[in-house]
Amino acid sequence: MPECWDGVGEGNAGVPTSPEPGAPGHLLPPLGQQEHDIETPYGLLHVVIRGSPKGNRPAILTYHDVGLNHKLCFNTFFNFEDMQEITKHFVVCHVDAPGQQVGASQFPQGYQFPSMEQLAAMLPSVVQHFGFKYVIGIGVGAGAYVLAKFALIFPDLVEGLVLMNIDPNGKGWIDWAATKLSGLTSTLPDTVLSHLFSQEELVNNTELVQSYRQQIGNVVNQANLQLFWNMYNSRRDLDINRPGTVPNAKTLRCPVMLVVGDNAPAEDGVVECNSKLDPTTTTFLKMADSGGLPQVTQPGKLTEAFKYFLQGMGYMPSASMTRLARSRTASLTSASSVDGSRPQACTHSESSEGLGQVNHTMEVSC
């Protein structure tokens, strides 16, 4: 098993850490935190708060992918050393989907798991409980879908979104049948792994894949996971369209950063989602040398991108931008310039000029 931090309240749950304590990029023990069970219209939500509210700043609210919980999905990212420059400025609110947290009791026979729309409708209760005015959401896979739904239904509560591995499409009959067949021939952890990791990652059977196979099977209640998995696979299309393409098009009104690894099973879905969002407020980040869990395999690059995203909304103008700044001329390409043309490559300034707005869609390969 990879080395883990025990830390205060939680460890990294089987996620590998840097072998050299104190080295750049070393994972830090988690800070003090508080756990809460929040009553919502569709049942209890387990929520973990790290830090304290910072004035009128939004909270960073996370939602994990199916098969995971906030620990398995986000510990590596939020415990990453460079991420502390961000988290000291924001309170972090980790939401576990119903019954997916560590130690969750199994739901009783006949329990109806909330739909994806209902999962989104549970979140205002969390925001209200802690007195947040609005949030910046970070979601992965199923969690990205939930947060996108949340932003569509309650746009005034969401200031920005980072959506990793989002698939805006519901499953067709062929996909649904294939999923059912897979469930008959594979164990639930292996079925979920094919959602989280690319075929290349699964074939190579890396230490990371082995670790997550064990954690998914041992940490998450399998009956509860099956209910969440079934509901995610019965989701409807995310009802969004690029403004101007259809009458009364619905879209995400806040700045959005889409993230996917260049070797991820969700790549096609993220690309399609990008085509349906407003190009003036959307950034598309495709991460090189990254598979299905970029927040785990490339936390440093993702941290840098997140800092830049926050700067675009007017926060942290003096934050260091070391990794992306050093390679920006080679790695940033614009998908939409001011005059509507699509140049293949350009440089992009990371200065603090123009804070408070996102000027154009970028495709970023890093």
Side-chain angles (χ1 to χ4, degrees), residues 161-229:
L161 287 174
V162 177
L163 304 176
M164 291 179 261
N165 298 337
I166 186 170
D167 187 345
N169 301 316
K171 281 189 175 291
W173 283 107
I174 295 177
D175 291 332
W176 179 85
T179 299
K180 285 297 237 183
L181 181 61
S182 175
L184 295 175
T185 58
S186 303
T187 65
L188 181 58
D190 282 335
T191 300
V192 171
L193 283 172
S194 67
H195 162 74
L196 298 174
F197 294 99
S198 68
Q199 278 302 116
E200 181 179 339
E201 290 174 295
L202 294 175
V203 169
N204 290 337
N205 197 29
T206 62
E207 185 180 15
L208 184 67
V209 171
Q210 294 176 37
S211 174
Y212 272 88
R213 178 182 285 108
Q214 181 179 18
Q215 296 290 341
I216 292 167
N218 296 335
V219 173
V220 184
N221 182 284
Q222 297 298 283
N224 296 353
L225 169 54
Q226 185 70 66
L227 294 174
F228 188 16
W229 177 248

Side-chain angles (χ1 to χ4, degrees), residues 63-83:
Y63 212 112
H64 59 86
D65 203 352
V66 66
L68 308 177
N69 49 44
H70 84 272
K71 292 184 178 182
L72 290 171
C73 196
F74 292 111
N75 265 13
T76 297
F77 182 44
F78 279 89
N79 294 345
F80 191 73
E81 186 175 38
D82 293 352
M83 189 66 177

Side-chain angles (χ1 to χ4, degrees), residues 13 35 46 69-72 96 99-105 219-220:
E35 299 193 23
H46 181 260
N69 49 44
H70 84 272
K71 292 184 178 182
L72 290 171
D96 285 319
Q100 311 303 302
Q101 71 270 22
V102 175
S105 299
V219 173
V220 184

Side-chain angles (χ1 to χ4, degrees), residues 276-300:
K276 294 183 175 183
L277 293 179
D278 187 342
T280 65
T281 57
T282 304
T283 299
F284 180 33
L285 175 64
K286 186 174 181 182
M287 302 190 69
D289 302 320
S290 180
L293 296 178
Q295 79 278 15
V296 174
T297 58
Q298 296 285 2

Side-chain angles (χ1 to χ4, degrees), residues 1-338:
M1 285 290 295
E3 179 185 356
C4 301
W5 278 102
D6 291 331
V8 179
E10 61 178 317
N12 281 320
V15 179
T17 64
S18 171
E20 298 180 15
H26 180 63
L27 299 182
L28 300 179
L31 301 174
Q33 58 189 21
Q34 296 179 334
E35 299 193 23
H36 303 261
D37 288 316
I38 309 300
E39 188 70 51
T40 81
Y42 302 101
L44 289 176
L45 270 184
H46 181 260
V47 175
V48 173
I49 296 291
R50 295 177 65 172
S52 57
K54 307 295 191 295
N56 290 324
R57 290 197 170 192
I60 295 175
L61 185 146
T62 75
Y63 212 112
H64 59 86
D65 203 352
V66 66
L68 308 177
N69 49 44
H70 84 272
K71 292 184 178 182
L72 290 171
C73 196
F74 292 111
N75 265 13
T76 297
F77 182 44
F78 279 89
N79 294 345
F80 191 73
E81 186 175 38
D82 293 352
M83 189 66 177
Q84 310 317 303
E85 185 179 3
I86 294 175
T87 55
K88 71 182 180 183
H89 295 289
F90 298 90
V91 61
V92 179
C93 176
H94 292 300
V95 177
D96 285 319
Q100 311 303 302
Q101 71 270 22
V102 175
S105 299
Q106 184 168 318
F107 289 125
Q109 188 73 23
Y111 171 80
Q112 180 61 47
F113 197 88
S115 68
M116 302 303 287
E117 291 77 11
Q118 290 170 336
L119 290 175
M122 298 170 85
L123 294 178
S125 298
V126 176
V127 175
Q128 183 179 25
H129 180 88
F130 295 107
F132 303 145
K133 291 188 175 180
Y134 31 76
V135 302
I136 296 171
I138 303 180
V140 181
Y145 183 100
V146 170
L147 289 182
K149 265 296 185 191
F150 174 50
L152 287 170
I153 303 171
F154 306 98
D156 292 340
L157 297 181
V158 183
E159 188 172 1
L161 287 174
V162 177
L163 304 176
M164 291 179 261
N165 298 337
I166 186 170
D167 187 345
N169 301 316
K171 281 189 175 291
W173 283 107
I174 295 177
D175 291 332
W176 179 85
T179 299
K180 285 297 237 183
L181 181 61
S182 175
L184 295 175
T185 58
S186 303
T187 65
L188 181 58
D190 282 335
T191 300
V192 171
L193 283 172
S194 67
H195 162 74
L196 298 174
F197 294 99
S198 68
Q199 278 302 116
E200 181 179 339
E201 290 174 295
L202 294 175
V203 169
N204 290 337
N205 197 29
T206 62
E207 185 180 15
L208 184 67
V209 171
Q210 294 176 37
S211 174
Y212 272 88
R213 178 182 285 108
Q214 181 179 18
Q215 296 290 341
I216 292 167
N218 296 335
V219 173
V220 184
N221 182 284
Q222 297 298 283
N224 296 353
L225 169 54
Q226 185 70 66
L227 294 174
F228 188 16
W229 177 248
N230 292 344
M231 191 56 69
Y232 177 64
N233 284 311
S234 63
R235 69 191 182 278
R236 301 172 182 173
D237 288 351
L238 196 61
D239 186 18
I240 54 174
N241 288 282
R242 181 162 288 187
T245 57
V246 298
N248 302 316
K250 294 181 181 179
T251 192
L252 297 173
R253 291 173 12 197
C254 61
V256 178
M257 181 167 73
L258 298 174
V259 181
V260 69
D262 65 353
N263 181 28
E267 182 179 359
D268 290 344
V270 178
V271 169
E272 181 167 353
C273 188
N274 184 53
S275 72
K276 294 183 175 183
L277 293 179
D278 187 342
T280 65
T281 57
T282 304
T283 299
F284 180 33
L285 175 64
K286 186 174 181 182
M287 302 190 69
D289 302 320
S290 180
L293 296 178
Q295 79 278 15
V296 174
T297 58
Q298 296 285 2
K301 290 180 179 179
L302 186 58
T303 297
E304 289 295 316
F306 187 40
K307 287 179 186 177
Y308 180 77
F309 181 70
L310 291 171
Q311 282 191 325
M313 291 190 291
Y315 299 107
M316 302 177 62
S318 61
S320 61
M321 305 300 296
T322 52
R323 289 181 179 83
L324 290 184
R326 282 199 299 265
S327 60
R328 68 185 184 189
T329 57
S331 64
L332 298 183
T333 61
S334 175
S336 172
S337 67
V338 175

